Structure formats: C-alpha cells, structure tokens
C-alpha cells in the first residue's frame, strides 16, 4: 500500500519509489512541491514531496493501492502517555538521544557516520587515482614543455631534476569534504504517530468528501482516467483539468476540461472566454458534467471560420 500523508487538505507522497509507481503503473502525475536540498532558494526545479490532486488521492484509495494517513497531534494523544513519556528517552535534532543534559548517540547514527567516513575515503581514493592518471598521461608533454623553456632561456645544462609530480601527489592531494557526493534519502520514518483516514468522510485534513464541486470533478476525473488519458491540474489554462493522450513528458495537452453541474446555468461570457483561451493555446475545451446516475457527458468547444 502506498502511504499518502494528509496535511490540511493536501495529499503528499514522500517516497520517490512510491511516486514512480504512481506515475508508471497508475498514470497519475501529481506535481512536485518540495525544494531541492542543494538548491533550496530556487523554484525552477522542485523535488519531493509529490503533491497529488484530491481526485488523484481519492482514486488511489478507491482502487485499493494507497492508504490516506494523518499525523496524530500531541493534544490528541492520551494525556497519561504524556506523563509516562517524560521518563522515556527523547531524540534531539542531531539524531542523538538525550538523558538529562547528557547526549547518548544512537547506534543508527554511529553506523551512518561510519558509512559517511568510508564513503569519503573511497571518493578520495577515486579522486587521487583520477588525478594520477591525468598526470601520467600529461607527463611527457610536461617534460617537453620544461625542456623547451630551458632552451628558450639559453640554458645548456639541465637543472637537477625536481621531485616527481607523481611522488608529491599523494601528500599534496586534497579532497574537500564539501565536494564529496552524499546519498540523499528519498523517504524517512515519520517522527510522530499516524492514523488511517477514511476517505469517505470529511475531516479537517481531508475536507473534500461531500462537497458537490469535488464530487463532480472526481466523476469527470475518473471517467477520463478510465479512458486511458493522463490528467493534471488545469488552473494555468483556466480549467479544472488538462487532458493528455500520453505522459505529459512526451505530449502536449489536447483538452482543457471544465467541470460544471448539469442543473446549474453556465454564463455565456464564461463559455466565450474558455473557447477563446482554448483557441489561443491550440487546445479543445471540454464542458464536462456528471449526471446523477454517474454518467459523464462532454461538449467540445472550438472556434470555426477563422482564417
């Protein structure tokens, strides 16, 4: 089961492997919402967590491949556990435990630091080997350059040979720790307890069930998904969804889906605006409405007679 963590109505996936499964096996895209660890002050390229649309999260839960989870807040825990927890060991921000003022490192932290040191030494040896191979390949050229310099200065006798560069390399080579490659975790164990959320019922972290707009959007979303399309959010084009014939990494969207209740009037200016926008971005606008029996009807809008 894929864990989907809820936070104030947002559905987040923290594991890279789960994000891959969602896209590869279930044709659901979502959108990355986290900053990259090495470049946290930019938003051109984002990373985990993967933020799912409410319709995407509900679909995964409904077909039985994911479970919705929420974090149990401290005020919701048993007060008796709080009192007993004061006698237990806690964990500080650096990964060690605390007992009064004395910090006791965890075995996991010691193992991690040992692996980090072994990785650094391995990378240093690889860098040293690469530097040595480079100097060996350039040694003849370096010797020819030095001889030419001596000839240009009119030196007839060769100077005493300098210590070989390869012999000096072992002592002079420096590999800064900030340049080493480190493995960034793509998932972590939650630090607080979680509980399963029933997607059928509305809660503060999952307020969507029962809302008419969400129910209509979900019926449209599932019907398009069952037809084999890839679907993403469509707010940047003024619609509810963008509909792709294949993976959005390879295809442009063909349709802008606009969801509307079948018994509510749709202002003419909204229809004209949606049609003009779809024409400008070379996409077909779909007016989608879900009937009471679950059937979904589509009406396409396209400008005609334009030269």
């Amino acid at each position: 089961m894929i864990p989907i963590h809820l936070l104030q109505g947002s559905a987040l996936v923290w594991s890279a492997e789960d994000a891959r499964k969602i896209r590869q096996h279930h044709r659901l895209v979502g959108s990355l919402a986290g900053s990259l660890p090495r470049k946290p002050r930019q938003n051109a390229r984002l990373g985990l967590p993967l933020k799912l649309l409410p319709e995407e999260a509900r679909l995964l839960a409904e077909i039985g491949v994911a479970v919705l989870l929420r974090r149990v807040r401290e005020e919701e825990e048993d007060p008796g556990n709080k009192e007993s927890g004061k006698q237990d060991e806690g964990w500080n921000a650096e990964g060690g435990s605390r007992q009064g003022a004395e910090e006791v490192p965890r075995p996991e932290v010691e193992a991690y630091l040992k692996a980090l040191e072994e990785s650094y030494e391995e990378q240093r040896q690889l860098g040293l080997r690469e530097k040595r191979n480079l100097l060996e390949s350039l040694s003849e050229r370096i010797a020819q350059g030095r001889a030419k310099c001596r000839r240009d200065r009119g030196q007839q006798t060769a100077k005493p040979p300098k210590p070989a560069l390869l012999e000096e390399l072992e002592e002079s080579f420096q590999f800064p720790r900030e340049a080493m490659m480190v493995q960034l975790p793509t998932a972590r164990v939650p630090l607080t307890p979680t509980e399963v959320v029933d997607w059928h019922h509305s809660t503060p972290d999952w307020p969507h069930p029962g809302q008419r707009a969400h129910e209509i959007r979900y019926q449209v979303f599932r019907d398009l998904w069952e037809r084999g399309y890839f679907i993403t959010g469509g707010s940047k084009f003024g619609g509810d969804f963008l509909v792709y014939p294949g993976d959005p990494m390879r295809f442009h969207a063909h349709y802008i889906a606009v969801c509307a209740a079948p018994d509510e009037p749709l202002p003419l200016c909204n229809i004209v605006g949606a049609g003009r926008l779809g024409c400008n971005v070379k996409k077909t606008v779909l007016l989608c409405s879900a009937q009471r029996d679950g059937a979904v009807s589509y009406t396409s809008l396209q400008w005609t007679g334009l030269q």
Side-chain angles (χ1 to χ4, degrees), residues 52-288:
L52 300 176
L53 295 173
E55 293 75 23
E56 292 175 321
R58 175 174 171 178
L59 176 62
L60 290 172
E62 191 170 299
I63 62 179
V65 299
V67 58
L68 304 184
L69 302 174
R70 63 179 288 271
R71 180 175 64 89
V72 179
R73 298 171 177 82
E74 294 182 359
E75 57 271 15
E76 299 176 3
E77 297 179 357
D78 186 2
N81 293 336
K82 291 185 179 180
E83 295 298 330
S84 60
K86 293 180 181 179
Q87 306 298 328
D88 298 335
E89 295 182 358
W91 303 105
N92 61 20
E94 297 179 356
S97 65
R98 62 176 183 271
Q99 290 179 340
E102 181 182 359
E103 295 183 357
V104 180
R106 296 185 303 179
E108 293 85 353
V109 175
E110 294 177 349
Y112 171 76
L113 295 177
K114 181 180 179 181
L116 200 63
E117 188 64 28
E118 293 175 352
S119 176
Y120 170 77
E121 185 60 29
E122 181 180 357
Q123 294 183 50
R124 182 183 180 279
Q125 293 299 327
L126 291 174
L128 179 62
R129 185 187 311 169
E130 183 177 354
K131 185 72 172 181
R132 183 183 294 111
N133 294 338
L134 178 62
L135 289 179
E136 288 177 351
S137 64
L138 298 177
S139 58
E140 184 177 353
R141 186 180 303 178
I142 293 174
Q144 293 175 355
R146 288 179 174 178
K148 182 177 182 300
C149 290
R150 289 195 297 270
R151 289 194 302 268
D152 293 342
R153 291 196 296 265
Q155 298 176 358
Q156 299 299 330
T157 59
K159 289 186 176 182
K162 294 183 178 181
L165 293 177
L166 294 178
E167 296 177 0
E168 296 178 346
L169 182 61
E170 181 68 31
E171 298 180 358
S172 61
F173 180 75
Q174 295 182 356
F175 184 73
R177 289 186 176 272
E178 57 269 17
M180 69 176 292
M181 299 180 64
V182 296
Q183 182 177 0
L184 299 176
T186 57
R188 68 179 180 88
V189 177
L191 300 179
T192 55
T194 58
E195 67 177 10
V196 177
V197 174
D198 186 359
W199 59 269
H200 297 88
H201 303 290
S202 176
T203 65
D205 289 306
W206 183 247
H208 312 290
Q211 297 182 4
R212 190 180 186 190
H214 168 73
E215 297 298 333
I216 294 175
R217 283 167 53 95
Y218 177 73
Q219 292 185 46
V220 172
F221 182 92
R222 174 145 191 172
D223 184 75
L224 291 172
W225 179 78
E226 290 177 344
R227 294 171 184 263
Y229 292 105
F230 281 74
I231 310 164
T232 65
S235 58
K236 63 181 179 181
F237 286 112
D240 292 287
F241 305 114
L242 292 179
V243 185
Y244 296 79
D247 194 297
M249 294 292 292
R250 302 178 57 191
F251 296 91
H252 290 288
H254 283 191
Y255 306 103
I256 302 174
V258 179
C259 302
D263 54 350
E264 291 184 358
L266 191 61
L268 182 60
C269 60
N270 292 357
I271 299 177
V272 174
R276 289 177 63 88
L277 177 60
C279 179
N280 289 337
V281 297
K282 299 181 181 179
K283 304 183 191 307
T284 300
V285 176
L286 291 179
L287 297 181
C288 315

